Amino acid sequence: MAFTSMMGARVTRREDPRLITGRSTYVDDVKLVGTTYAAFVRSPFAHAKITRIDVSAAKASPGVLAAFTADDMRNVGDVPTAPQIEGLKVPKHPPLARGRVAYAGEPVVAVIAETPAAARDAADLVEVEYEELPAVVDLERAVAGAPYVHDEFGTNIAFTMEINGGDTESAFKNAAVTVSERLLNQRLAPVSIEPRGMVAHWEPGPQHLTLWSSTQIPHLLRTQMAVALGIPEHRVRSIAPEVGGGFGSKLDVYAEEIVAAFASRALDRPVKYVETRSESFMATVHGRDQIDLVEIAADRDGRISGLKVKILANLGAYHQLLTPAIPTLTALMVPGAYDIKNVAVTLHGLFTTEVPTDAYRGAGRPEATYLIERAIDLLAAKLGMDPAEVRRRNLIKKEQFPYASAVGLTYDTGDYHAAFEKALQLAGYDALRKEQEHGRSEGRLLGIGLSSYVEVCGMGPSSALPAPGWGSATVRMEPTGRVTVMTGASPHGQGEETTFAQMVSDRLGVPIDDVVVLHGDSAIVQYGIGTFGSRSTAVDGAALYRALDTVREKAMKIAAHQMEANVGDLEFKNGKIAVKGNPEKAMSIGEVAFAAFRGLNLPPDVEPGLEATRRFEPPNFVYPFGTHVCVVEIERATGAVKVLKYVAVDDCGNIINPMIVEGQIHGGIAQGLSQALYEEIVYDENGQLTNGSLLQYAVPHAGQLPMYELDRTVTPTDVNPMGIKGVGEAGTIGATPAVVNAVVDALAPFGIVNMDMPCKPERVWRVMSGHDGETNEKAAKS
Amino acid sequence: MIPASFDYLTADSVEQAIGLLKQHGDEAKLLAGGHSLLPMMKLRLARPNVLIDLRNVAGMRGIKTTARGLEIGALTTHAAVAQSTEVSAYAPLLAEAAAAVGDVQVRHCGTLGGSAAHADAAADEPAALLALEAQFEIAGASGVRTVAARDFFVDMFTTALGPNDVLTAVILPRAFPASAYAKLPHPASHYPVVGAACALAVSGGSIEGARIAITGVGSVPFRATHVEGLLAGIPVHDRKKMESLCAEAARGVEARSDAYAGAEYRVAMADVMAARAVLAAAERAR
Ligand SMILES: Cc1cc2nc3c(=O)[nH]c(=O)nc-3n(C[C@H](O)[C@H](O)[C@H](O)COP(=O)(O)OP(=O)(O)OC[C@H]3O[C@@H](n4cnc5c(N)ncnc54)[C@H](O)[C@@H]3O)c2cc1C
């Protein structure tokens, strides 16, 4: 029966049929009568003064209604940013550039016309004159001094954060061995399959704005739009229709959204804008982009006593919604899954003349995992130890939980050794090492890479975030016994329409088909914080769990009254509320719902109706963990890397739907592996994006990815009532270092101890040909 | 991704296409599969005012054997070339190159003639056609002529086609059952970073003549004549020897460089791909 078997069931995703048959409504499918279309004139330069803008020819072009510049939008607020970091420098960020531009692709003029083509043609007629300023693209030079992105600050350092846990200086002084490395974490483009899009509809009669946006945060977007445009919040409705992926890039409020809403109000017409793929590459936030200097101190047995990390984080030209907060997550996670008592971190967030970085799947944690996991391998190489053994000796032990990390976090629950040993066993680690040795004697370049990660997610306690972090849910029983759920999460691929319905089915005993999960419309759903930071199930799911409890309690009261029994004598079992020991005397939740709706024969202290809205404020983050093992073979002639085997043992606590969890891990690994092997955003020294198209930027095809062998351990969390941790980002966080460690391991015969990502064929080939690459000698010299 | 506005015309015959080209001059472009031209128009890198669609032109599609050899209509899609049993028997190299183009959608829209006429520096089929010593049949205002592959590919995006010319067919005068294509694909576009096409004439178990063409390295596909010379007379079972002779396949060529792959790497990969193509071709001769 559905009632008992729903939790943990491989229910196929209910949202998929409509998605894969094209019967779904994305922003671009929203077609309103009288719609006009926006096209943006964007800066061709990375950094320049704007000396003249002439929109007269564009305005005279057929079908054009308006051409807006910053001058037209003086009364409109800046693109918002949330983080409140001490001493953070916040540059002005008008939606259309005012007087100067700070990255190539920055919107300067918005042309609104009757058709997309007319808008695009007219955009070509806008004349903008620029006086070029020096580009700032090199982080090590940016931190050192001029030229500055924002002259008014007299520095490119937006903020500095220092964390000191324990006594790192003496740990290093007393260490038997130390290793250090400079690690690059390259810039990536999120590349969701649906680019950003929006339709803004100002209705002059009711003085009301509706904004359809491809967003992960419809309610936060609504609040921010109200503030930026000066429209009272109750007169703004925000709708995230079907959203084709986001990976964090749509956890944002964008200039174009503000401009579209402004233009709709100025023209009394709906305004639509959907970015092109090229625009997406140059003007949607990027992710990662750090230089990390990592140093480890250890004893001869490989026990780590100290960790020093210096992070140079590329923030780009402006702060988008969470830009400066992302690298702080790196700083907080540098010790990873290891028991390191002495940790010192210095983080500089740096302005450059590039498009802002912000959340991208993993958001700060992949960088942390990468640097510690690479450093562990460097230590193993230096000591001549098996990297598995170094990990085994340093992983936090089961009995240490809850574990207070040296940088001030409290890891909730874990059994890292269990996942680690399981992964090694599943991969056949010892046999792999033998095969590698044998292979090497035959000239084969086999590499085995490990990564044991822990990540912080389930964002999260409001007190620890720059935005609210609670979850919300409404459960409404309809008179006919069907259930409507409204979640504050904003799923855009994660599958909560299925997993949340499974929870309802389990707790209320209704068939899954009798449950609908609504989300993403501020006029329908109670305020919600949205979907990001692997939070939806752990936080909004917990709110749903509470709402289901409340509905159950009320249903029991009503049932007791109707059946003339005591609540204490009832039990909720097999989909019925029955008198204990007398299963004949029972009511289904549907029957109770009808009684509650009809309003007859209710207990005196009970209101009609059967619904509940509940919120959940998590007391802590949750900390999923696991170990990934990757085996690669390198082709000597070309440098091509082939992944022969990929094993992942992840622990995300209790599981509602294993198939969806596996899907999240598959996709996560794909993106993490892709950073290791394929993807990189390349700006040239003038701040020009050199590979901003899918012809050049390598998002892998299925054939470029391996088969995954997955398993899990289950260590429930005590942070929420279901014992569930997040899983949306774990795969990405774990995968990247596993793959790079494997590649570097394969190159060990060449004396290589480090190489930069992506490990593309040319780079690997150059390393093997002795052109590039970090060897132990080179590392020792520097 | 909206192109600048243009007029769309269709031609029913080669003569009509030529007439329309003459009428509209520089303003006009022929449209075949559209898989090179339309992306450029959408990025506004190309802005023709008139497109002349060849799709309805009779007789420009299909594969047939004639006295001149195997004739392939210019409008034949990559997929049709890849799946053709005639091509696979006559010149497996070309079927392999066509099968290696892009992805399924691209192969079912893009055409052999379009790929040749477009002459991208890193296209697959042009290298195959160069190695197979294809003849290009061109219809122009002053009649029909044929041009040898060697003279057809002039430079990046430049061929022997004049402004009023239509490429009607590609003719393979000679069968090369011992031929093969090897490619190192770009991870994003799957265009070749470097591709090598090899057609071997074999007699008595030894290479009588080798034809090797390299794409992706220079601005046009070129013949690795120096390697071709060295391979003459080598037994097709001597894999080591053949492999070792594929050195400096790109000798004298100014190699391209971009953010993904530098010149030095491309030059080195020319040897690796040439060796792979030669060995695979030799395998077919055994
Ligand atoms: C995503 C993608 C991936 C691709 N990957 C590859 C790849 O891996 N390898 C590869 O080689 N190519 C690749 N291509 C290019 C593809 O092969 C194109 O189909 C081909 O280059 C052009 O053929 P077409 O029929 O589409 O020509 P069109 O785009 O219609 O035309 C191209 C040019 O040739 C001219 N032209 C076309 N036909 C004639 C004719 N009969 N006579 C005179 N002029 C003519 C046109 O006027 C135009 O200038 C890819 C394309 C895309 C979009």
Side-chain angles (χ1 to χ4, degrees):
Chain A
M1 265 204 74
F3 184 58
T4 47
S5 62
M6 263 300 149
M7 292 298 274
R10 290 179 176 269
V11 178
T12 52
R13 290 174 23 124
R14 308 160 77 210
E15 42 276 78
D16 283 350
R18 69 169 194 266
L19 293 174
I20 59 185
T21 55
R23 291 174 210 198
S24 208
T25 303
Y26 293 86
V27 168
D28 203 23
D29 301 315
V30 173
K31 302 212 159 93
L32 305 180
V33 172
T35 296
T36 65
Y37 300 85
F40 286 86
V41 178
R42 296 175 183 279
S43 169
F45 298 111
H47 200 193
K49 266 192 199 141
I50 300 172
T51 54
R52 190 179 71 94
I53 302 180
D54 183 351
V55 295
S56 52
K59 276 185 166 166
S61 184
V64 172
L65 300 166
F68 296 115
T69 68
D71 282 345
D72 301 302
M73 293 183 65
R74 290 209 172 271
N75 297 326
V76 174
D78 273 7
V79 178
T81 186
Q84 286 137 16
I85 296 170
E86 211 188 298
L88 177 68
K89 298 187 170 55
V90 181
K92 289 230 154 307
H93 186 187
L96 292 174
R98 188 173 294 152
R100 54 164 202 169
V101 289
Y103 69 91
E106 184 172 347
V108 179
V109 177
V111 178
I112 316 292
E114 297 285 356
T115 65
R120 180 65 187 81
D121 285 344
D124 277 357
L125 301 175
V126 170
E127 288 174 32
V128 186
E129 275 173 22
Y130 298 91
E131 204 178 288
E132 260 196 274
L133 297 167
V136 179
V137 293
D138 179 315
L139 291 183
E140 277 147 342
R141 273 164 53 189
V143 75
Y148 302 124
V149 180
H150 303 288
D151 270 331
E152 60 273 30
F153 299 137
T155 175
N156 289 316
I157 303 176
F159 72 99
T160 296
M161 181 173 151
E162 307 247 8
I163 305 177
N164 275 296
D167 183 354
T168 312
E169 280 320 310
S170 44
F172 272 82
K173 220 179 287 160
N174 302 325
V177 281
T178 63
V179 286
S180 65
E181 188 55 85
R182 174 179 175 276
L183 298 166
L184 295 181
N185 212 292
Q186 80 273 29
R187 193 174 257 257
L188 303 175
V191 199
S192 54
I193 195 161
E194 181 209 22
R196 287 181 300 136
M198 63 218 63
V199 178
H201 184 203
W202 171 258
E203 292 167 280
Q207 294 279 297
H208 187 274
L209 174 75
T210 305
L211 179 71
W212 286 261
S213 174
S214 176
T215 183
Q216 300 172 225
I217 47 164
H219 281 96
L220 296 177
L221 176 63
R222 172 189 187 226
T223 302
Q224 295 295 341
M225 293 298 287
V227 171
L229 291 153
I231 303 172
E233 188 170 1
H234 62 295
R235 295 186 183 283
V236 181
R237 176 182 180 186
S238 152
I239 302 173
E242 211 74 80
V243 173
F247 309 113
S249 72
K250 296 172 179 173
L251 156 55
D252 230 310
V253 178
Y254 281 98
E256 291 90 341
E257 287 165 322
I258 300 174
V259 173
F262 163 83
S264 177
R265 196 159 56 147
L267 301 170
D268 282 347
R269 296 273 299 270
V271 175
K272 181 187 270 192
Y273 169 70
V274 178
E275 67 179 356
T276 64
R277 185 59 68 186
S278 314
E279 289 180 297
S280 185
F281 271 106
M282 63 182 143
T284 294
V285 296
H286 292 160
R288 315 280 190 269
D289 205 341
Q290 294 181 2
I291 296 177
D292 300 306
L293 303 169
V294 56
E295 288 178 77
I296 272 194
D299 67 16
R300 296 229 168 271
D301 297 329
R303 285 201 176 74
I304 301 168
S305 53
L307 173 66
K308 271 196 261 183
V309 181
K310 186 172 172 194
I311 302 168
L312 301 182
N314 188 340
L315 304 179
Y318 303 102
H319 301 323
Q320 281 285 339
L321 193 61
L322 295 177
T323 301
I326 303 305
T328 66
L329 288 170
T330 308
L332 290 171
M333 288 309 291
V334 292
Y338 305 102
D339 186 14
I340 308 175
K341 300 276 189 261
N342 307 299
V343 180
V345 190
T346 305
L347 158 63
H348 295 300
L350 298 168
F351 292 118
T352 60
T353 52
E354 296 174 5
V355 75
T357 52
D358 204 319
Y360 169 57
R361 202 167 191 172
R365 290 96 87 205
E367 296 90 321
T369 307
Y370 185 71
L371 71 87
I372 187 67
E373 288 304 307
R374 283 272 46 245
I376 296 263
D377 270 31
L378 285 158
L379 176 62
K382 178 104 178 220
L383 291 168
M385 271 175 75
D386 185 330
E389 190 50 36
V390 176
R391 285 179 172 78
R392 194 175 277 125
R393 288 186 188 177
N394 289 287
L395 284 172
I396 299 164
K397 295 189 190 71
K398 188 179 169 183
E399 51 279 13
Q400 289 176 281
F401 290 93
Y403 174 83
S405 85
V407 295
L409 295 177
T410 304
Y411 297 0
D412 55 351
T413 57
D415 186 349
Y416 299 172
H417 283 95
F420 175 75
E421 300 298 347
K422 195 168 192 174
L424 294 196
Q425 203 176 28
L426 187 59
Y429 184 74
D430 296 335
L432 283 172
R433 284 287 174 210
K434 289 210 183 81
E435 187 185 331
Q436 177 183 41
E437 205 184 307
H438 180 73
R440 274 183 185 160
S441 69
E442 291 179 337
R444 285 179 72 192
L445 299 172
L446 291 169
I448 305 159
L450 299 176
S451 155
S452 289
Y453 73 92
V454 59
E455 67 122 336
V456 52
C457 71
M459 314 278 167
S462 299
S463 58
L465 293 186
W470 41 266
S472 73
T474 297
V475 174
R476 187 173 74 212
M477 293 299 311
E478 309 293 0
T480 52
R482 304 316 202 274
V483 190
T484 301
V485 172
M486 282 150 272
T487 174
S490 198
H492 48 282
Q494 294 81 357
E496 276 88 7
E497 287 180 37
T498 303
T499 50
F500 283 4
Q502 284 179 256
M503 284 176 65
V504 173
S505 176
D506 179 66
R507 300 291 292 161
L508 298 183
V510 295
I512 197 167
D513 286 343
D514 286 0
V515 184
V516 68
V517 179
L518 304 178
H519 54 82
D521 184 343
S522 72
I524 295 175
V525 180
Q526 74 290 340
Y527 208 109
I529 309 305
T531 287
F532 55 89
S534 303
R535 69 186 303 278
S536 296
T537 309
V539 184
D540 289 286
L544 171 59
Y545 189 89
R546 282 190 172 169
L548 289 166
D549 271 355
T550 304
V551 164
R552 278 167 62 110
E553 277 162 32
K554 183 170 175 181
M556 297 280 265
K557 269 193 201 160
I558 295 172
H561 187 79
Q562 298 243 328
M563 297 191 288
E564 294 170 354
N566 287 322
V567 171
D569 294 336
L570 298 184
E571 60 182 354
F572 210 129
K573 216 176 153 187
N574 297 334
K576 300 255 180 199
I577 300 172
V579 177
K580 281 181 203 157
N582 183 4
E584 305 291 277
K585 212 169 169 192
M587 288 179 84
S588 71
I589 188 86
E591 286 165 333
V592 177
F594 185 77
F597 167 75
R598 183 64 184 83
L600 297 178
N601 195 19
L602 298 182
D605 58 336
V606 169
E607 293 170 6
L610 187 52
E611 73 177 85
T613 299
R614 294 291 304 270
R615 293 184 176 74
F616 177 74
E617 173 66 59
N620 189 5
F621 297 106
V622 290
Y623 294 82
F625 59 90
T627 292
H628 291 199
V629 184
C630 176
V631 183
V632 302
E633 177 157 17
I634 290 170
E635 192 175 74
R636 180 68 186 88
T638 59
V641 175
K642 186 164 190 224
V643 179
L644 301 180
K645 190 179 188 72
Y646 198 100
V647 169
V649 174
D650 298 275
D651 190 321
C652 59
N654 286 330
I655 284 175
I656 297 173
N657 184 327
M659 189 197 71
I660 287 181
V661 164
E662 286 157 16
Q664 288 292 312
I665 292 174
H666 279 203
I669 296 172
Q671 273 170 305
L673 182 148
S674 189
Q675 172 170 24
L677 297 183
Y678 304 120
E679 296 184 42
E680 66 178 330
I681 281 284
V682 182
Y683 281 98
D684 68 14
E685 68 277 11
N686 300 316
Q688 293 293 332
L689 181 57
T690 64
N691 60 347
S693 96
L694 288 173
L695 272 181
Q696 295 138 313
Y697 186 88
V699 176
H701 299 201
Q704 290 161 281
L705 296 167
M707 299 299 284
Y708 310 113
E709 296 170 49
L710 304 188
D711 205 338
R712 70 176 73 92
T713 58
V714 176
T715 312
T717 179
D718 51 11
V719 170
N720 59 59
M722 303 97 73
I724 282 172
K725 299 184 176 184
V727 72
E729 296 159 289
T732 311
I733 292 165
T736 309
V739 179
V740 175
N741 283 345
V743 172
V744 172
D745 186 47
L747 294 171
F750 298 88
I752 296 303
V753 294
N754 189 43
M755 74 174 295
D756 294 336
M757 298 185 285
C759 304
K760 58 180 181 175
E762 179 183 22
R763 199 167 271 158
V764 175
W765 175 84
R766 291 184 71 83
V767 160
M768 292 189 293
S769 328
H771 292 289
D772 298 320
E774 189 94 23
T775 60
N776 256 328
E777 296 95 85
K778 279 195 210 169
K781 264 186 243 150
S782 63
Chain B
M1 301 292 266
I2 301 170
S5 72
F6 58 88
D7 287 333
Y8 173 85
L9 308 172
T10 56
D12 295 325
S13 66
V14 175
E15 294 69 38
Q16 197 188 357
I18 295 167
L20 288 169
L21 280 173
K22 269 207 290 205
Q23 188 185 333
H24 294 284
D26 285 354
E27 311 270 271
K29 272 264 175 206
L30 297 175
L31 177 69
H35 269 49
S36 289
L37 183 54
L38 296 186
M40 288 177 68
M41 288 170 64
K42 287 181 169 187
L43 291 167
R44 301 200 171 198
L45 297 172
R47 290 168 175 258
N49 287 330
V50 179
L51 281 191
I52 303 163
D53 194 341
L54 296 174
R55 183 165 29 179
N56 295 335
V57 173
M60 263 179 72
R61 202 181 295 267
I63 299 162
K64 58 178 190 273
T65 310
T66 68
R68 298 193 292 180
L70 191 68
E71 291 191 30
I72 307 175
L75 288 179
T76 310
T77 62
H78 307 305
V81 173
Q83 287 157 12
S84 156
T85 46
E86 284 142 296
V87 175
S88 288
Y90 192 88
L93 160 59
L94 183 60
E96 283 176 354
V101 169
D103 52 45
V104 176
Q105 290 95 322
V106 175
R107 291 197 290 275
H108 278 84
C109 277
T111 66
L112 180 66
S115 178
H118 188 61
D120 192 300
D124 290 300
E125 287 148 335
L129 296 175
L130 187 62
L132 294 166
E133 299 184 334
Q135 295 284 328
F136 292 76
E137 185 177 81
I138 299 169
S142 48
V144 176
R145 64 188 194 278
T146 54
V147 174
R150 234 176 235 290
D151 304 319
F152 184 81
F153 297 106
V154 177
D155 203 345
M156 199 185 293
F157 304 127
T158 311
T159 65
L161 289 164
N164 299 333
D165 285 342
V166 178
L167 174 65
T168 50
V170 173
I171 302 150
L172 307 180
R174 180 169 169 186
F176 284 101
S179 65
Y181 186 66
K183 165 177 180 176
L184 184 72
H186 188 286
S189 68
H190 293 230
Y191 272 87
V193 176
V194 176
C198 172
L200 297 179
V202 177
S203 108
S206 290
I207 298 173
E208 187 182 66
R211 291 149 182 84
I212 300 170
I214 308 285
T215 184
V217 179
S219 55
V220 270
F222 59 86
R223 291 274 294 267
T225 42
H226 129 87
V227 175
E228 291 177 358
L230 295 173
L231 284 170
I234 307 296
V236 289
H237 61 77
D238 194 346
R239 296 176 64 85
K240 278 234 157 64
K241 185 85 190 164
M242 288 185 293
E243 189 173 3
S244 69
L245 292 174
C246 292
E248 293 184 60
R251 186 191 273 187
V253 173
E254 198 186 318
R256 304 186 315 133
S257 185
D258 65 16
Y260 179 72
E264 198 183 355
Y265 183 65
R266 286 178 203 265
V267 166
M269 289 310 108
D271 295 354
V272 176
M273 293 303 129
R276 285 189 186 169
V278 169
L279 292 181
E283 198 62 36
R284 295 204 162 113
R286 302 216 289 172

